[in-house]
Amino acid sequence: MTEFSYDIVIIGSGAGGGTVAAALSDMVRDGVRILVVEQGPRLADHEFTGREIEMADALYEDGGGFLTADGTMTLAFGRVYGGSTVVYTGTSLIAPERVIRAWDVPGLDHADIERRSRRYMEQNNVHYLDASEINENNRLFVEGCERAGYRAEQFPVNVKGCRGSSLCNLGCPNAAKQGTNRVQLPHAERNGVEVVTRAEALRVEDRAVVVRVHEKPAGAKGAPSEWAPGEYRISAGIVVVAAGAIGSPALLLRSRRDGGSAAAGLRAARLPRLGQGLTVHPAHILVAEHGRAITNDVGHPKSYYMDRAAEEGYVLETCMYFPFTTAKNLTGFGEPHSRLMRAFPRLQMILVLAIDRALPWNRVTVDARGKPVVHYTLDDVVIERLVRGTRASARIFFAAGALRVHAPSAEPQLIERDEAERLDERIHPRHFWPGKVSVSAAHLMGGCAMGRNAEDSVTDAWGRVHGVPWLYVADASLFPDALEINPYLTVMALADRVAEAVRRDAPAHLARARDQAGAGTTGSVRV
Amino acid sequence: MRSAFPGPFRSIAITVVPEAARLDEAGWTEVEAIIGRALDARPPVVRRQLGMLIRMIGLLALLRYGRRFASLDAARRTALLTRLQDARLLLLRRGVWGLRTLIFMGYYARPAAAAEIGYRADPRGWEARQ
């Protein structure tokens, strides 16, 4: 095993890791060596083709279809330079004040989150799209909301030079979306932060990380790793884990189980909440058919939303997906399914997201091979919220002029316009069969929650892991409960706080690490 | 040419996506290659489970109707798959969900199918529509 030494190692390069890397990058000038370890590849601009399966395989874990343990929900999360900021739609909302208050984390207040969020909105060019850039799929949502008595709001988005490809979730083919791959990571690298891609963090040891660098598979997209394939042990004064709400708890659980004496300090820490309290905003894709073709697969796909989280436990968002993703998310098969697919140019789509609560049994564990296993139960509360959101969506679709609506929690699923008065009866939890109905989630939160102490959480309000002073977490796994909106901007705000804590704590940690390692060993030294 | 999957696979695929009946051998090869690549990226147990489910569907057709799945008319094929999709046992429901999802992937991920349904997304966005 090759041994390297750095001062700070950041695991993950998404909204969390990328932000920490950029925020700390000026420390490189003072001789601090910083390394970002990313499991996915680094793609060149021309490799973003917008082709569905090709891009999903290149950018997502399990092609975007990571299954929960009981097989009733798929999770989508990025595994690429820039993490999930490469594959989201760039929607950038500041965390609701009531949510941060309800989190009740001592030392974390909304004003601080808002201040930091605004800084990243500026940095990543967040703004409202001009009315001329909004397609009919979105405009119909706004019109439908107005007529049905709901209030649609526009998403601010982080794009620059958007051409309206509609392919955001497959990685922008025009480099318009301002994720960490476009803003924070290049900035960090210009300042001297090193990034190693195709590097899987196997485990965290005491003040060290063991990684396996993979060879580029034949025919795969992306550059080869910056390092030669093989295993590396990288010692570090500070380790920041930002591998996402699935990856971070899994990595820490694996490290505590398999780390042996090399992870004695990490193993000694009492962390009973590690992996628990996962929330995901379980979601349905709903479609409705209009009598004429609309602009749906051109233009930014997610420009508006309707927030009923506080009142009814759901949020509706506009969306537009690709042929396979659409087919997968329609319930059933055969001729009725095919008929809807053939109506693609006439389809309007809405995404229903249920607000779920952090519950101890919804959690991340690891299997015998150390791979993450996500245990999540679609309980009655979540199903009821999905059903409520589906009913509201159907009202909006019909108010916008749709001829028929496909509702997963209806039997039969297709609801015709003349049934619009019977939506409460037609769309009902009794028709929601987990395992039959497609449920997916991309807002993955919790598992390394912030809080007061080890009894109720994994880290403090600054991402410091309880009882392990050199170890930090900086991603959506910090959320003590669902955020109730799209999470990436809040991840960046929290990561910015973690970077501040790292900077504050660094002199003591790095001095101690240098003392332990002996003079002159800091830096990327092959042993 | 033989299918890369057990006996009733293509009949099941046609039941799930009726348009698949119009596929020629090259089309089937493309569909099965897409599914094969997806399975190769997952643990071997997933491919084994898929094979077992397809064989079980073939066996159920024999038990219920006394005929091979491929010999059943479209209504009976649909009825059989619907019963499994609506089964009380979660394992069966998610099995059918997984099978249909793979078939949708194989069929709709092909550029020809995307064009057939009128999907026109283009990296050039609005410019491509002018």
Side-chain angles (χ1 to χ4, degrees):
Chain A
M1 190 183 303
T2 304
E3 298 209 12
F4 280 173
S5 178
Y6 285 81
D7 294 307
I8 300 171
V9 173
I10 301 161
I11 301 166
S13 69
T19 299
V20 173
L24 297 179
S25 63
D26 63 331
M27 294 171 75
V28 176
R29 280 202 305 264
D30 302 325
V32 176
R33 299 293 305 262
I34 303 175
L35 175 71
V36 175
V37 172
E38 167 55 52
Q39 188 174 1
R42 185 195 298 252
L43 267 64
D45 288 352
H46 73 272
E47 292 180 292
F48 289 91
T49 62
R51 288 194 278 269
E52 185 174 11
I53 300 299
E54 178 184 309
M55 293 314 303
D57 286 347
L59 304 178
Y60 289 90
E61 180 76 25
D62 280 356
F66 183 99
L67 271 172
T68 53
D70 71 358
T72 59
M73 182 163 57
T74 54
L75 309 179
F77 49 103
R79 193 184 62 187
V80 62
Y81 174 87
S84 291
T85 70
V86 176
V87 293
Y88 62 3
T89 46
T91 50
S92 307
L93 296 175
I94 296 174
E97 200 275 336
R98 65 181 169 77
V99 171
I100 302 302
R101 197 173 352 106
W103 282 3
D104 193 24
V105 176
L108 180 72
D109 65 77
H110 183 260
D112 185 53
I113 297 277
E114 180 169 0
R115 180 175 59 81
R116 293 174 199 266
S117 297
R118 290 200 184 283
R119 185 167 356 120
Y120 287 100
M121 290 172 82
E122 178 81 25
Q123 215 173 84
N124 291 46
N125 201 43
V126 172
H127 63 286
Y128 292 106
L129 292 177
D130 185 77
S132 63
E133 298 175 88
I134 306 296
N135 67 14
E136 285 179 292
N137 183 51
N138 281 282
R139 286 208 300 268
L140 286 168
F141 178 79
V142 177
E143 288 169 22
C145 281
E146 280 169 6
R147 289 182 198 143
Y150 296 116
R151 180 167 161 263
E153 297 174 79
Q154 189 172 0
F155 272 119
V157 292
N158 67 356
V159 295
K160 191 184 282 184
C162 175
R163 298 174 70 183
S165 74
S166 81
L167 298 165
C168 309
N169 292 127
L170 300 176
C172 180
N174 301 309
K177 187 167 49 189
Q178 301 297 294
T180 57
N181 60 322
R182 300 289 173 197
V183 181
Q184 280 72 29
L185 291 166
H187 171 81
E189 290 192 272
R190 280 194 299 275
N191 280 353
V193 170
E194 294 176 51
V195 178
V196 56
T197 55
R198 299 188 190 278
E200 177 186 7
L202 299 178
R203 61 185 179 276
V204 174
E205 297 180 345
D206 290 343
R207 297 181 191 278
V209 182
V210 177
V211 306
R212 179 180 295 138
V213 172
H214 294 273
E215 199 142 2
K216 177 184 172 180
K221 284 180 184 288
S225 177
E226 295 75 2
W227 292 4
E231 283 197 16
Y232 295 79
R233 185 177 187 279
I234 307 159
S235 61
I238 292 169
V239 175
V240 181
V241 177
I246 309 302
S248 289
L251 173 62
L252 295 181
L253 286 163
R254 188 163 67 231
S255 304
R256 283 162 64 84
R257 189 187 68 185
D258 304 337
S261 59
L266 176 57
R267 297 179 74 190
R270 255 196 94 250
L271 298 172
R273 297 289 180 183
L274 181 57
Q276 295 183 1
L278 185 77
T279 59
V280 301
H281 292 166
H284 267 334
I285 296 171
L286 305 181
V287 308
E289 183 183 347
H290 285 265
R292 62 178 179 91
I294 62 171
T295 49
N296 54 16
D297 54 6
V298 62
H300 186 270
K302 192 180 289 294
S303 310
Y304 284 89
Y305 67 105
M306 197 268 277
D307 185 353
R308 299 290 295 168
E311 300 83 0
E312 296 188 87
Y314 66 83
V315 175
L316 306 185
E317 301 183 349
T318 52
C319 64
M320 195 65 208
Y321 292 99
F322 325 104
F324 161 58
T325 307
T326 303
K328 175 180 115 170
N329 281 285
L330 297 175
T331 305
F333 58 86
E335 185 48 35
H337 184 283
S338 281
R339 211 177 303 130
L340 263 182
M341 290 301 291
R342 288 197 300 270
F344 208 95
R346 301 190 298 279
L347 295 185
Q348 183 189 350
M349 293 194 194
I350 296 176
L351 185 71
V352 180
L353 300 110
I355 306 306
D356 51 345
R357 295 273 70 100
L359 302 167
W361 50 87
N362 288 335
R363 69 194 197 282
V364 177
T365 62
V366 287
D367 66 14
R369 296 173 305 141
K371 300 291 180 196
V373 179
V374 174
H375 306 267
Y376 191 96
T377 304
L378 289 166
D379 62 25
D380 290 346
V381 174
V382 165
I383 291 172
E384 174 64 34
R385 289 173 174 189
L386 283 171
V387 166
R388 275 186 217 155
T390 302
R391 287 173 181 152
S393 300
R395 286 183 199 109
I396 292 164
F397 281 136
F398 284 128
L403 301 177
R404 56 190 61 86
V405 170
H406 177 276
S409 38
E411 189 59 54
Q413 283 85 37
L414 270 187
I415 302 174
E416 298 294 333
R417 191 174 178 75
D418 60 12
E419 299 177 282
E421 300 304 313
R422 298 170 49 220
L423 293 179
D424 287 355
E425 176 194 336
R426 288 284 277 111
I427 302 169
H428 196 278
R430 69 175 175 274
H431 300 308
F432 187 107
W433 286 71
K436 172 184 175 183
V437 169
S438 287
V439 182
S440 56
H443 297 172
L444 314 179
M445 304 163 279
C448 297
M450 298 176 289
R452 292 179 165 74
N453 52 49
E455 299 308 315
D456 70 359
S457 58
V458 177
T459 82
D460 69 10
W462 296 90
R464 296 185 196 94
V465 175
H466 298 307
V468 194
W470 49 269
L471 182 60
Y472 299 73
V473 175
D475 56 29
S477 69
L478 289 171
F479 294 9
D481 206 343
L483 188 65
E484 307 189 14
I485 56 156
N486 307 46
Y488 104 89
L489 196 58
T490 307
V491 175
M492 295 183 90
L494 291 179
D496 190 72
R497 283 172 57 88
V498 175
E500 185 181 317
V502 168
R503 184 186 292 274
R504 205 164 45 221
D505 302 345
H509 287 315
L510 299 187
R512 185 174 165 188
R514 283 175 177 146
D515 286 349
Q516 282 181 346
T521 58
T522 299
S524 54
V525 179
R526 196 178 288 265
V527 177
Chain B
M1 196 166 168
R2 277 171 56 81
S3 168
F5 297 98
F9 172 76
R10 289 187 180 179
S11 318
I12 295 170
I14 291 168
T15 313
V16 170
V17 184
E19 290 86 344
R22 298 200 297 264
L23 287 172
D24 59 14
E25 196 53 45
W28 279 114
T29 303
E30 197 181 357
V31 167
E32 291 175 3
I34 292 168
I35 297 172
R37 280 196 296 275
L39 290 171
D40 287 346
R42 286 164 175 76
V45 67
V46 176
R47 187 183 280 269
R48 284 201 299 276
Q49 287 170 343
L50 180 73
M52 281 169 57
L53 178 65
I54 293 170
R55 287 190 190 90
M56 189 194 80
I57 291 169
L59 187 63
L60 284 174
L62 279 173
L63 289 172
R64 182 162 179 79
Y65 299 110
R67 301 175 69 176
R68 290 167 48 237
F69 187 86
S71 307
L72 298 178
D73 59 32
R76 282 178 169 170
R77 288 181 189 178
T78 300
L80 198 152
L81 289 188
T82 302
R83 282 175 72 94
L84 292 174
Q85 178 184 249
D86 294 340
R88 293 222 157 266
L89 200 60
L90 172 63
L91 193 66
L92 287 177
R93 292 200 302 275
R94 55 177 265 203
V96 172
W97 183 89
L99 177 57
R100 69 182 266 289
T101 295
L102 283 167
I103 292 166
F104 289 145
M105 180 191 287
Y107 188 83
Y108 286 110
R110 296 172 313 122
E116 194 178 283
I117 61 170
Y119 176 72
R120 295 195 297 157
D122 187 301
R124 293 168 298 158
W126 292 109
E127 188 188 318
R129 298 291 168 97
Q130 285 165 2

